[in-house]
Amino acid sequence: MGTVKFTVTAAEGCTYKWQYQRADGTKWFYTTMEGCNTNTLTVIATTARSGYKYRCIITDSYGNETISEEAVLTVE
């Protein structure tokens, strides 16, 4: 078991909210993992999380939201 970090880059002054989706799911959930409100999310990589998807909702100072591309965690 190890950790993996997902990072997004945005303009200064943005806020970040990370979400995950279970491997067999269709609904997104907000996470409380380390870094969930920063540009870098740290995930403990367990086989139970293999196939989970992660994405970040980035909000600028005007309230405009952008959703990052999804990243899939693969644990072998």
Short mmCIF file of all heavy atoms in Angstrom, two decimals:
data_model
loop_
_atom_site.label_atom_id
_atom_site.label_comp_id
_atom_site.label_asym_id
_atom_site.label_seq_id
_atom_site.Cartn_x
_atom_site.Cartn_y
_atom_site.Cartn_z
N MET A 1 0.84 -1.17 0.00
CA MET A 1 0.00 0.00 0.00
C MET A 1 0.89 1.24 0.00
O MET A 1 1.86 1.31 0.73
CB MET A 1 -0.91 -0.02 1.23
CG MET A 1 -1.79 1.18 1.34
SD MET A 1 -3.06 1.10 2.64
CE MET A 1 -2.19 0.54 4.05
N GLY A 2 0.55 2.18 -0.83
CA GLY A 2 1.29 3.43 -0.92
C GLY A 2 0.32 4.58 -1.08
O GLY A 2 -0.87 4.46 -0.82
N THR A 3 0.85 5.69 -1.51
CA THR A 3 0.00 6.85 -1.78
C THR A 3 0.24 7.33 -3.20
O THR A 3 1.28 7.08 -3.80
CB THR A 3 0.29 8.02 -0.82
OG1 THR A 3 1.66 8.40 -0.95
CG2 THR A 3 -0.01 7.65 0.62
N VAL A 4 -0.75 8.02 -3.73
CA VAL A 4 -0.66 8.64 -5.04
C VAL A 4 -1.17 10.06 -4.90
O VAL A 4 -2.04 10.34 -4.07
CB VAL A 4 -1.46 7.83 -6.09
CG1 VAL A 4 -2.93 7.84 -5.79
CG2 VAL A 4 -1.20 8.34 -7.50
N LYS A 5 -0.61 10.96 -5.68
CA LYS A 5 -1.03 12.36 -5.64
C LYS A 5 -1.57 12.77 -7.00
O LYS A 5 -0.96 12.48 -8.03
CB LYS A 5 0.14 13.27 -5.25
CG LYS A 5 0.62 13.04 -3.83
CD LYS A 5 1.77 13.95 -3.48
CE LYS A 5 2.32 13.65 -2.12
NZ LYS A 5 1.64 14.33 -1.05
N PHE A 6 -2.73 13.40 -6.98
CA PHE A 6 -3.33 13.98 -8.18
C PHE A 6 -3.23 15.49 -8.04
O PHE A 6 -3.57 16.05 -7.00
CB PHE A 6 -4.80 13.58 -8.32
CG PHE A 6 -5.01 12.10 -8.50
CD1 PHE A 6 -5.55 11.33 -7.49
CD2 PHE A 6 -4.67 11.48 -9.69
CE1 PHE A 6 -5.75 9.96 -7.66
CE2 PHE A 6 -4.86 10.12 -9.88
CZ PHE A 6 -5.41 9.36 -8.85
N THR A 7 -2.73 16.16 -9.10
CA THR A 7 -2.50 17.60 -9.05
C THR A 7 -3.13 18.28 -10.25
O THR A 7 -3.05 17.77 -11.36
CB THR A 7 -0.99 17.91 -9.01
OG1 THR A 7 -0.42 17.27 -7.86
CG2 THR A 7 -0.72 19.39 -8.94
N VAL A 8 -3.74 19.44 -9.99
CA VAL A 8 -4.25 20.30 -11.06
C VAL A 8 -3.56 21.65 -10.94
O VAL A 8 -3.10 22.03 -9.86
CB VAL A 8 -5.78 20.47 -10.99
CG1 VAL A 8 -6.50 19.17 -11.26
CG2 VAL A 8 -6.23 21.05 -9.66
N THR A 9 -3.48 22.35 -12.04
CA THR A 9 -2.87 23.67 -12.06
C THR A 9 -3.90 24.68 -12.55
O THR A 9 -4.55 24.45 -13.56
CB THR A 9 -1.64 23.70 -12.99
OG1 THR A 9 -0.73 22.68 -12.57
CG2 THR A 9 -0.96 25.04 -12.95
N ALA A 10 -4.03 25.77 -11.81
CA ALA A 10 -4.99 26.82 -12.17
C ALA A 10 -4.40 28.17 -11.80
O ALA A 10 -3.34 28.26 -11.17
CB ALA A 10 -6.31 26.60 -11.46
N ALA A 11 -5.11 29.22 -12.18
CA ALA A 11 -4.66 30.57 -11.88
C ALA A 11 -4.68 30.82 -10.37
O ALA A 11 -5.39 30.16 -9.61
CB ALA A 11 -5.56 31.58 -12.59
N GLU A 12 -3.90 31.80 -9.96
CA GLU A 12 -3.85 32.17 -8.55
C GLU A 12 -5.22 32.64 -8.08
O GLU A 12 -5.97 33.27 -8.83
CB GLU A 12 -2.82 33.29 -8.38
CG GLU A 12 -2.50 33.60 -6.95
CD GLU A 12 -1.37 34.60 -6.82
OE1 GLU A 12 -0.41 34.54 -7.60
OE2 GLU A 12 -1.47 35.45 -5.92
N GLY A 13 -5.57 32.33 -6.86
CA GLY A 13 -6.83 32.78 -6.28
C GLY A 13 -7.99 31.83 -6.48
O GLY A 13 -9.12 32.13 -6.09
N CYS A 14 -7.74 30.67 -7.07
CA CYS A 14 -8.80 29.69 -7.29
C CYS A 14 -8.97 28.82 -6.05
O CYS A 14 -8.06 28.68 -5.24
CB CYS A 14 -8.49 28.80 -8.49
SG CYS A 14 -8.58 29.67 -10.06
N THR A 15 -10.15 28.22 -5.93
CA THR A 15 -10.40 27.25 -4.88
C THR A 15 -10.59 25.88 -5.51
O THR A 15 -10.93 25.77 -6.70
CB THR A 15 -11.63 27.62 -4.04
OG1 THR A 15 -12.78 27.66 -4.87
CG2 THR A 15 -11.44 28.97 -3.35
N TYR A 16 -10.41 24.84 -4.70
CA TYR A 16 -10.42 23.47 -5.20
C TYR A 16 -11.30 22.59 -4.33
O TYR A 16 -11.28 22.70 -3.10
CB TYR A 16 -8.99 22.89 -5.19
CG TYR A 16 -7.99 23.75 -5.91
CD1 TYR A 16 -7.28 24.74 -5.23
CD2 TYR A 16 -7.78 23.60 -7.26
CE1 TYR A 16 -6.37 25.54 -5.90
CE2 TYR A 16 -6.87 24.39 -7.94
CZ TYR A 16 -6.16 25.36 -7.25
OH TYR A 16 -5.27 26.14 -7.91
N LYS A 17 -12.06 21.72 -4.96
CA LYS A 17 -12.87 20.71 -4.27
C LYS A 17 -12.72 19.40 -5.05
O LYS A 17 -13.12 19.33 -6.22
CB LYS A 17 -14.35 21.10 -4.24
CG LYS A 17 -14.65 22.37 -3.50
CD LYS A 17 -14.88 22.07 -2.05
CE LYS A 17 -15.38 23.35 -1.39
NZ LYS A 17 -15.27 23.33 0.01
N TRP A 18 -12.15 18.39 -4.43
CA TRP A 18 -11.93 17.11 -5.10
C TRP A 18 -13.11 16.19 -4.90
O TRP A 18 -13.74 16.19 -3.85
CB TRP A 18 -10.66 16.45 -4.57
CG TRP A 18 -9.41 17.11 -5.08
CD1 TRP A 18 -8.74 18.14 -4.50
CD2 TRP A 18 -8.71 16.78 -6.27
NE1 TRP A 18 -7.64 18.47 -5.26
CE2 TRP A 18 -7.60 17.65 -6.36
CE3 TRP A 18 -8.90 15.83 -7.27
CZ2 TRP A 18 -6.69 17.60 -7.40
CZ3 TRP A 18 -7.99 15.78 -8.32
CH2 TRP A 18 -6.90 16.65 -8.37
N GLN A 19 -13.38 15.40 -5.94
CA GLN A 19 -14.45 14.41 -5.91
C GLN A 19 -13.92 13.05 -6.36
O GLN A 19 -12.90 12.99 -7.04
CB GLN A 19 -15.59 14.80 -6.86
CG GLN A 19 -16.31 16.06 -6.49
CD GLN A 19 -17.44 16.34 -7.45
OE1 GLN A 19 -17.29 16.23 -8.66
NE2 GLN A 19 -18.59 16.72 -6.92
N TYR A 20 -14.64 12.01 -5.97
CA TYR A 20 -14.31 10.67 -6.45
C TYR A 20 -15.59 9.96 -6.88
O TYR A 20 -16.69 10.33 -6.48
CB TYR A 20 -13.59 9.84 -5.37
CG TYR A 20 -14.47 9.47 -4.20
CD1 TYR A 20 -15.14 8.24 -4.18
CD2 TYR A 20 -14.63 10.33 -3.12
CE1 TYR A 20 -15.95 7.89 -3.11
CE2 TYR A 20 -15.43 9.99 -2.05
CZ TYR A 20 -16.10 8.77 -2.05
OH TYR A 20 -16.91 8.43 -0.99
N GLN A 21 -15.41 8.94 -7.70
CA GLN A 21 -16.50 8.09 -8.15
C GLN A 21 -16.02 6.65 -8.01
O GLN A 21 -14.91 6.31 -8.43
CB GLN A 21 -16.86 8.39 -9.61
CG GLN A 21 -18.04 7.60 -10.14
CD GLN A 21 -18.28 7.93 -11.60
OE1 GLN A 21 -17.66 7.33 -12.47
NE2 GLN A 21 -19.13 8.90 -11.85
N ARG A 22 -16.85 5.81 -7.41
CA ARG A 22 -16.47 4.40 -7.24
C ARG A 22 -16.32 3.73 -8.60
O ARG A 22 -16.92 4.17 -9.59
CB ARG A 22 -17.51 3.69 -6.40
CG ARG A 22 -17.51 4.16 -4.97
CD ARG A 22 -18.51 3.38 -4.13
NE ARG A 22 -18.46 3.82 -2.76
CZ ARG A 22 -19.29 4.72 -2.23
NH1 ARG A 22 -20.24 5.27 -2.96
NH2 ARG A 22 -19.16 5.06 -0.96
N ALA A 23 -15.57 2.66 -8.64
CA ALA A 23 -15.27 1.96 -9.90
C ALA A 23 -16.54 1.54 -10.63
O ALA A 23 -16.62 1.60 -11.85
CB ALA A 23 -14.39 0.75 -9.64
N ASP A 24 -17.54 1.11 -9.89
CA ASP A 24 -18.78 0.65 -10.52
C ASP A 24 -19.92 1.66 -10.37
O ASP A 24 -21.08 1.34 -10.57
CB ASP A 24 -19.21 -0.70 -9.91
CG ASP A 24 -19.43 -0.60 -8.40
OD1 ASP A 24 -19.13 0.46 -7.80
OD2 ASP A 24 -19.91 -1.57 -7.82
N GLY A 25 -19.58 2.89 -10.03
CA GLY A 25 -20.60 3.90 -9.74
C GLY A 25 -20.83 4.89 -10.86
O GLY A 25 -20.12 4.90 -11.87
N THR A 26 -21.85 5.72 -10.64
CA THR A 26 -22.17 6.78 -11.59
C THR A 26 -22.29 8.13 -10.89
O THR A 26 -22.45 9.15 -11.54
CB THR A 26 -23.50 6.48 -12.31
OG1 THR A 26 -24.53 6.33 -11.35
CG2 THR A 26 -23.39 5.22 -13.16
N LYS A 27 -22.23 8.13 -9.56
CA LYS A 27 -22.40 9.35 -8.78
C LYS A 27 -21.05 9.83 -8.24
O LYS A 27 -20.22 9.02 -7.83
CB LYS A 27 -23.35 9.09 -7.61
CG LYS A 27 -23.68 10.32 -6.83
CD LYS A 27 -24.72 10.04 -5.76
CE LYS A 27 -24.97 11.32 -4.99
NZ LYS A 27 -25.92 11.15 -3.91
N TRP A 28 -20.86 11.14 -8.26
CA TRP A 28 -19.64 11.75 -7.72
C TRP A 28 -19.87 12.15 -6.28
O TRP A 28 -20.93 12.65 -5.92
CB TRP A 28 -19.24 12.97 -8.55
CG TRP A 28 -18.71 12.59 -9.88
CD1 TRP A 28 -19.41 12.54 -11.05
CD2 TRP A 28 -17.39 12.19 -10.20
NE1 TRP A 28 -18.61 12.13 -12.08
CE2 TRP A 28 -17.34 11.92 -11.58
CE3 TRP A 28 -16.22 12.04 -9.46
CZ2 TRP A 28 -16.18 11.50 -12.22
CZ3 TRP A 28 -15.07 11.63 -10.09
CH2 TRP A 28 -15.06 11.37 -11.46
N PHE A 29 -18.84 11.95 -5.43
CA PHE A 29 -18.88 12.30 -4.02
C PHE A 29 -17.70 13.22 -3.70
O PHE A 29 -16.61 13.02 -4.23
CB PHE A 29 -18.75 11.04 -3.14
CG PHE A 29 -19.84 10.05 -3.36
CD1 PHE A 29 -19.67 9.02 -4.27
CD2 PHE A 29 -21.03 10.13 -2.66
CE1 PHE A 29 -20.67 8.08 -4.48
CE2 PHE A 29 -22.05 9.20 -2.86
CZ PHE A 29 -21.86 8.18 -3.78
N TYR A 30 -17.93 14.19 -2.82
CA TYR A 30 -16.82 15.02 -2.35
C TYR A 30 -15.99 14.19 -1.37
O TYR A 30 -16.52 13.42 -0.59
CB TYR A 30 -17.32 16.29 -1.67
CG TYR A 30 -17.86 17.29 -2.65
CD1 TYR A 30 -19.22 17.40 -2.89
CD2 TYR A 30 -17.00 18.11 -3.38
CE1 TYR A 30 -19.72 18.31 -3.81
CE2 TYR A 30 -17.47 19.02 -4.30
CZ TYR A 30 -18.84 19.11 -4.52
OH TYR A 30 -19.31 20.00 -5.42
N THR A 31 -14.68 14.35 -1.43
CA THR A 31 -13.78 13.61 -0.56
C THR A 31 -13.28 14.50 0.57
O THR A 31 -13.28 15.73 0.45
CB THR A 31 -12.59 13.03 -1.35
OG1 THR A 31 -11.81 12.25 -0.45
CG2 THR A 31 -11.75 14.10 -1.99
N THR A 32 -12.86 13.86 1.66
CA THR A 32 -12.24 14.56 2.78
C THR A 32 -10.79 14.12 2.96
O THR A 32 -10.19 14.37 4.00
CB THR A 32 -13.03 14.31 4.08
OG1 THR A 32 -13.09 12.89 4.31
CG2 THR A 32 -14.43 14.88 4.01
N MET A 33 -10.23 13.49 1.94
CA MET A 33 -8.84 13.03 2.01
C MET A 33 -7.89 14.21 2.09
O MET A 33 -8.26 15.35 1.78
CB MET A 33 -8.50 12.19 0.78
CG MET A 33 -9.20 10.88 0.72
SD MET A 33 -8.65 9.99 -0.75
CE MET A 33 -10.11 9.05 -1.10
N GLU A 34 -6.65 13.90 2.45
CA GLU A 34 -5.63 14.94 2.55
C GLU A 34 -5.52 15.74 1.26
O GLU A 34 -5.38 15.17 0.18
CB GLU A 34 -4.27 14.29 2.86
CG GLU A 34 -3.15 15.28 3.02
CD GLU A 34 -1.81 14.61 3.28
OE1 GLU A 34 -1.78 13.46 3.74
OE2 GLU A 34 -0.79 15.27 2.99
N GLY A 35 -5.62 17.06 1.37
CA GLY A 35 -5.50 17.93 0.21
C GLY A 35 -6.81 18.17 -0.52
O GLY A 35 -6.81 18.77 -1.60
N CYS A 36 -7.93 17.76 0.05
CA CYS A 36 -9.22 17.85 -0.67
C CYS A 36 -9.62 19.28 -1.03
O CYS A 36 -10.43 19.48 -1.93
CB CYS A 36 -10.33 17.18 0.12
SG CYS A 36 -10.68 17.95 1.71
N ASN A 37 -9.03 20.28 -0.38
CA ASN A 37 -9.33 21.68 -0.70
C ASN A 37 -8.11 22.42 -1.22
O ASN A 37 -8.01 23.64 -1.12
CB ASN A 37 -9.89 22.39 0.54
CG ASN A 37 -11.23 21.84 0.95
OD1 ASN A 37 -12.10 21.64 0.11
ND2 ASN A 37 -11.42 21.58 2.22
N THR A 38 -7.16 21.66 -1.79
CA THR A 38 -5.96 22.24 -2.38
C THR A 38 -5.84 21.74 -3.81
O THR A 38 -6.66 20.95 -4.27
CB THR A 38 -4.69 21.83 -1.60
OG1 THR A 38 -4.44 20.44 -1.81
CG2 THR A 38 -4.84 22.10 -0.10
N ASN A 39 -4.78 22.14 -4.49
CA ASN A 39 -4.62 21.69 -5.88
C ASN A 39 -4.00 20.29 -5.97
O ASN A 39 -3.90 19.74 -7.05
CB ASN A 39 -3.80 22.69 -6.69
CG ASN A 39 -2.34 22.69 -6.31
OD1 ASN A 39 -1.97 22.58 -5.15
ND2 ASN A 39 -1.50 22.81 -7.31
N THR A 40 -3.62 19.69 -4.83
CA THR A 40 -3.05 18.34 -4.84
C THR A 40 -3.78 17.45 -3.83
O THR A 40 -3.76 17.72 -2.63
CB THR A 40 -1.55 18.37 -4.50
OG1 THR A 40 -0.89 19.18 -5.48
CG2 THR A 40 -0.94 16.99 -4.52
N LEU A 41 -4.38 16.38 -4.34
CA LEU A 41 -5.08 15.41 -3.51
C LEU A 41 -4.17 14.21 -3.29
O LEU A 41 -3.59 13.68 -4.23
CB LEU A 41 -6.36 14.95 -4.21
CG LEU A 41 -7.19 13.90 -3.46
CD1 LEU A 41 -7.83 14.50 -2.22
CD2 LEU A 41 -8.24 13.31 -4.39
N THR A 42 -4.06 13.76 -2.04
CA THR A 42 -3.29 12.57 -1.70
C THR A 42 -4.25 11.43 -1.39
O THR A 42 -5.11 11.56 -0.53
CB THR A 42 -2.37 12.83 -0.49
OG1 THR A 42 -1.50 13.91 -0.80
CG2 THR A 42 -1.54 11.60 -0.15
N VAL A 43 -4.08 10.32 -2.12
CA VAL A 43 -4.96 9.17 -1.97
C VAL A 43 -4.13 7.98 -1.51
O VAL A 43 -3.07 7.70 -2.06
CB VAL A 43 -5.65 8.83 -3.33
CG1 VAL A 43 -6.51 7.59 -3.21
CG2 VAL A 43 -6.46 10.02 -3.82
N ILE A 44 -4.64 7.25 -0.50
CA ILE A 44 -4.00 6.00 -0.09
C ILE A 44 -4.42 4.95 -1.12
O ILE A 44 -5.61 4.69 -1.31
CB ILE A 44 -4.42 5.60 1.33
CG1 ILE A 44 -3.93 6.65 2.31
CG2 ILE A 44 -3.85 4.23 1.68
CD1 ILE A 44 -4.45 6.46 3.72
N ALA A 45 -3.44 4.40 -1.81
CA ALA A 45 -3.69 3.48 -2.93
C ALA A 45 -3.88 2.06 -2.41
O ALA A 45 -2.92 1.34 -2.17
CB ALA A 45 -2.55 3.55 -3.93
N THR A 46 -5.12 1.65 -2.23
CA THR A 46 -5.45 0.29 -1.82
C THR A 46 -6.14 -0.41 -2.98
O THR A 46 -6.71 0.24 -3.87
CB THR A 46 -6.39 0.28 -0.60
OG1 THR A 46 -7.62 0.89 -0.97
CG2 THR A 46 -5.77 1.04 0.57
N THR A 47 -6.12 -1.73 -2.97
CA THR A 47 -6.80 -2.47 -4.04
C THR A 47 -8.29 -2.20 -4.03
O THR A 47 -8.93 -2.25 -5.08
CB THR A 47 -6.54 -3.99 -3.92
OG1 THR A 47 -6.90 -4.43 -2.62
CG2 THR A 47 -5.09 -4.31 -4.19
N ALA A 48 -8.86 -1.88 -2.87
CA ALA A 48 -10.28 -1.55 -2.80
C ALA A 48 -10.62 -0.29 -3.58
O ALA A 48 -11.75 -0.12 -4.04
CB ALA A 48 -10.71 -1.39 -1.35
N ARG A 49 -9.64 0.60 -3.77
CA ARG A 49 -9.87 1.84 -4.51
C ARG A 49 -9.47 1.73 -5.98
O ARG A 49 -9.61 2.69 -6.73
CB ARG A 49 -9.10 2.99 -3.87
CG ARG A 49 -9.69 3.44 -2.55
CD ARG A 49 -9.08 4.76 -2.12
NE ARG A 49 -9.71 5.21 -0.91
CZ ARG A 49 -9.08 5.45 0.24
NH1 ARG A 49 -7.77 5.27 0.32
NH2 ARG A 49 -9.73 5.86 1.30
N SER A 50 -8.98 0.60 -6.39
CA SER A 50 -8.59 0.43 -7.79
C SER A 50 -9.81 0.62 -8.69
O SER A 50 -10.88 0.07 -8.45
CB SER A 50 -7.99 -0.96 -8.02
OG SER A 50 -7.42 -1.02 -9.31
N GLY A 51 -9.66 1.46 -9.68
CA GLY A 51 -10.75 1.77 -10.60
C GLY A 51 -11.53 3.02 -10.22
O GLY A 51 -12.36 3.49 -11.00
N TYR A 52 -11.28 3.54 -9.03
CA TYR A 52 -11.94 4.79 -8.64
C TYR A 52 -11.48 5.92 -9.57
O TYR A 52 -10.33 5.94 -10.00
CB TYR A 52 -11.58 5.17 -7.21
CG TYR A 52 -12.43 4.54 -6.14
CD1 TYR A 52 -12.93 3.24 -6.25
CD2 TYR A 52 -12.72 5.23 -4.98
CE1 TYR A 52 -13.69 2.66 -5.25
CE2 TYR A 52 -13.49 4.66 -3.98
CZ TYR A 52 -13.98 3.39 -4.11
OH TYR A 52 -14.74 2.83 -3.12
N LYS A 53 -12.38 6.85 -9.82
CA LYS A 53 -12.05 8.03 -10.62
C LYS A 53 -11.98 9.24 -9.69
O LYS A 53 -12.74 9.34 -8.73
CB LYS A 53 -13.13 8.26 -11.68
CG LYS A 53 -13.21 7.16 -12.70
CD LYS A 53 -14.34 7.44 -13.67
CE LYS A 53 -14.51 6.26 -14.62
NZ LYS A 53 -15.67 6.47 -15.50
N TYR A 54 -11.10 10.17 -10.03
CA TYR A 54 -10.93 11.39 -9.25
C TYR A 54 -10.96 12.58 -10.20
O TYR A 54 -10.45 12.51 -11.32
CB TYR A 54 -9.60 11.35 -8.48
CG TYR A 54 -9.59 10.27 -7.44
CD1 TYR A 54 -9.19 8.97 -7.78
CD2 TYR A 54 -10.02 10.51 -6.15
CE1 TYR A 54 -9.21 7.95 -6.84
CE2 TYR A 54 -10.04 9.50 -5.20
CZ TYR A 54 -9.64 8.23 -5.55
OH TYR A 54 -9.67 7.23 -4.63
N ARG A 55 -11.55 13.67 -9.73
CA ARG A 55 -11.58 14.92 -10.50
C ARG A 55 -11.64 16.08 -9.52
O ARG A 55 -11.94 15.91 -8.34
CB ARG A 55 -12.76 14.96 -11.46
CG ARG A 55 -14.12 15.12 -10.77
CD ARG A 55 -15.25 15.13 -11.78
NE ARG A 55 -16.52 15.42 -11.14
CZ ARG A 55 -17.68 15.44 -11.77
NH1 ARG A 55 -17.72 15.16 -13.07
NH2 ARG A 55 -18.79 15.73 -11.13
N CYS A 56 -11.35 17.27 -10.04
CA CYS A 56 -11.33 18.47 -9.20
C CYS A 56 -12.24 19.53 -9.79
O CYS A 56 -12.22 19.78 -11.00
CB CYS A 56 -9.90 19.01 -9.09
SG CYS A 56 -9.75 20.36 -7.90
N ILE A 57 -13.03 20.15 -8.93
CA ILE A 57 -13.83 21.31 -9.33
C ILE A 57 -13.05 22.55 -8.91
O ILE A 57 -12.77 22.75 -7.72
CB ILE A 57 -15.22 21.28 -8.68
CG1 ILE A 57 -15.97 20.03 -9.12
CG2 ILE A 57 -16.00 22.55 -9.03
CD1 ILE A 57 -17.30 19.83 -8.45
N ILE A 58 -12.68 23.34 -9.90
CA ILE A 58 -11.88 24.54 -9.67
C ILE A 58 -12.79 25.75 -9.85
O ILE A 58 -13.49 25.86 -10.86
CB ILE A 58 -10.72 24.61 -10.68
CG1 ILE A 58 -9.89 23.33 -10.61
CG2 ILE A 58 -9.86 25.85 -10.44
CD1 ILE A 58 -9.05 23.08 -11.84
N THR A 59 -12.78 26.64 -8.86
CA THR A 59 -13.62 27.83 -8.91
C THR A 59 -12.73 29.06 -8.87
O THR A 59 -11.87 29.18 -7.98
CB THR A 59 -14.60 27.85 -7.73
OG1 THR A 59 -15.34 26.62 -7.71
CG2 THR A 59 -15.58 29.02 -7.85
N ASP A 60 -12.93 29.98 -9.83
CA ASP A 60 -12.12 31.20 -9.83
C ASP A 60 -12.76 32.25 -8.92
O ASP A 60 -13.82 32.02 -8.33
CB ASP A 60 -11.89 31.72 -11.25
CG ASP A 60 -13.14 32.26 -11.93
OD1 ASP A 60 -14.17 32.50 -11.27
OD2 ASP A 60 -13.10 32.43 -13.17
N SER A 61 -12.12 33.39 -8.81
CA SER A 61 -12.58 34.44 -7.89
C SER A 61 -13.91 35.07 -8.31
O SER A 61 -14.55 35.77 -7.52
CB SER A 61 -11.50 35.53 -7.77
OG SER A 61 -11.22 36.10 -9.04
N TYR A 62 -14.36 34.79 -9.52
CA TYR A 62 -15.65 35.30 -9.99
C TYR A 62 -16.77 34.28 -9.82
O TYR A 62 -17.91 34.53 -10.18
CB TYR A 62 -15.56 35.71 -11.47
CG TYR A 62 -14.56 36.80 -11.72
CD1 TYR A 62 -13.32 36.51 -12.28
CD2 TYR A 62 -14.83 38.12 -11.38
CE1 TYR A 62 -12.38 37.50 -12.50
CE2 TYR A 62 -13.90 39.12 -11.59
CZ TYR A 62 -12.68 38.80 -12.15
OH TYR A 62 -11.75 39.80 -12.36
N GLY A 63 -16.44 33.10 -9.32
CA GLY A 63 -17.44 32.05 -9.11
C GLY A 63 -17.61 31.11 -10.29
O GLY A 63 -18.47 30.23 -10.27
N ASN A 64 -16.78 31.27 -11.33
CA ASN A 64 -16.85 30.36 -12.48
C ASN A 64 -16.20 29.03 -12.13
O ASN A 64 -15.11 29.00 -11.58
CB ASN A 64 -16.13 30.98 -13.69
CG ASN A 64 -16.74 32.30 -14.09
OD1 ASN A 64 -17.93 32.40 -14.29
ND2 ASN A 64 -15.91 33.32 -14.20
N GLU A 65 -16.88 27.94 -12.47
CA GLU A 65 -16.37 26.61 -12.18
C GLU A 65 -15.88 25.90 -13.42
O GLU A 65 -16.47 26.02 -14.49
CB GLU A 65 -17.45 25.73 -11.54
CG GLU A 65 -17.80 26.11 -10.14
CD GLU A 65 -18.78 25.14 -9.51
OE1 GLU A 65 -19.35 24.29 -10.22
OE2 GLU A 65 -18.98 25.26 -8.29
N THR A 66 -14.81 25.16 -13.25
CA THR A 66 -14.27 24.28 -14.28
C THR A 66 -14.02 22.94 -13.63
O THR A 66 -13.52 22.87 -12.50
CB THR A 66 -12.94 24.84 -14.83
OG1 THR A 66 -13.17 26.11 -15.41
CG2 THR A 66 -12.35 23.90 -15.87
N ILE A 67 -14.35 21.87 -14.32
CA ILE A 67 -14.11 20.53 -13.80
C ILE A 67 -12.95 19.92 -14.57
O ILE A 67 -12.94 19.91 -15.80
CB ILE A 67 -15.37 19.64 -13.94
CG1 ILE A 67 -16.52 20.26 -13.14
CG2 ILE A 67 -15.08 18.23 -13.45
CD1 ILE A 67 -17.85 19.55 -13.31
N SER A 68 -11.98 19.41 -13.83
CA SER A 68 -10.80 18.82 -14.46
C SER A 68 -11.17 17.51 -15.16
O SER A 68 -12.25 16.96 -14.94
CB SER A 68 -9.73 18.52 -13.40
OG SER A 68 -10.15 17.45 -12.56
N GLU A 69 -10.25 17.02 -15.95
CA GLU A 69 -10.42 15.70 -16.54
C GLU A 69 -10.36 14.67 -15.42
O GLU A 69 -9.75 14.91 -14.37
CB GLU A 69 -9.31 15.42 -17.55
CG GLU A 69 -9.41 16.27 -18.80
CD GLU A 69 -8.37 15.89 -19.83
OE1 GLU A 69 -7.95 14.71 -19.85
OE2 GLU A 69 -7.97 16.77 -20.60
N GLU A 70 -10.96 13.54 -15.64
CA GLU A 70 -10.95 12.46 -14.66
C GLU A 70 -9.63 11.70 -14.71
O GLU A 70 -9.07 11.51 -15.79
CB GLU A 70 -12.09 11.47 -14.94
CG GLU A 70 -13.45 12.12 -14.92
CD GLU A 70 -14.52 11.19 -15.50
OE1 GLU A 70 -14.23 10.02 -15.83
OE2 GLU A 70 -15.66 11.66 -15.62
N ALA A 71 -9.18 11.27 -13.55
CA ALA A 71 -8.01 10.40 -13.44
C ALA A 71 -8.47 9.11 -12.79
O ALA A 71 -9.23 9.13 -11.83
CB ALA A 71 -6.93 11.06 -12.62
N VAL A 72 -8.03 7.98 -13.33
CA VAL A 72 -8.42 6.68 -12.80
C VAL A 72 -7.26 6.08 -12.02
O VAL A 72 -6.13 6.02 -12.52
CB VAL A 72 -8.85 5.71 -13.94
CG1 VAL A 72 -9.22 4.36 -13.36
CG2 VAL A 72 -9.99 6.30 -14.74
N LEU A 73 -7.54 5.65 -10.79
CA LEU A 73 -6.53 5.01 -9.96
C LEU A 73 -6.51 3.51 -10.27
O LEU A 73 -7.54 2.85 -10.22
CB LEU A 73 -6.86 5.21 -8.48
CG LEU A 73 -5.93 4.52 -7.49
CD1 LEU A 73 -4.52 5.08 -7.59
CD2 LEU A 73 -6.47 4.67 -6.09
N THR A 74 -5.34 2.99 -10.63
CA THR A 74 -5.18 1.57 -10.89
C THR A 74 -4.16 1.01 -9.90
O THR A 74 -3.02 1.47 -9.86
CB THR A 74 -4.69 1.31 -12.34
OG1 THR A 74 -5.63 1.89 -13.24
CG2 THR A 74 -4.57 -0.17 -12.62
N VAL A 75 -4.59 0.04 -9.11
CA VAL A 75 -3.71 -0.60 -8.13
C VAL A 75 -3.60 -2.07 -8.50
O VAL A 75 -4.60 -2.76 -8.62
CB VAL A 75 -4.27 -0.45 -6.69
CG1 VAL A 75 -3.33 -1.11 -5.70
CG2 VAL A 75 -4.49 1.02 -6.35
N GLU A 76 -2.39 -2.53 -8.70
CA GLU A 76 -2.17 -3.93 -9.09
C GLU A 76 -1.60 -4.74 -7.94
O GLU A 76 -1.00 -4.25 -7.06
CB GLU A 76 -1.23 -4.00 -10.29
CG GLU A 76 -1.83 -3.31 -11.48
CD GLU A 76 -0.89 -3.33 -12.69
OE1 GLU A 76 0.27 -3.76 -12.57
OE2 GLU A 76 -1.32 -2.89 -13.74
#
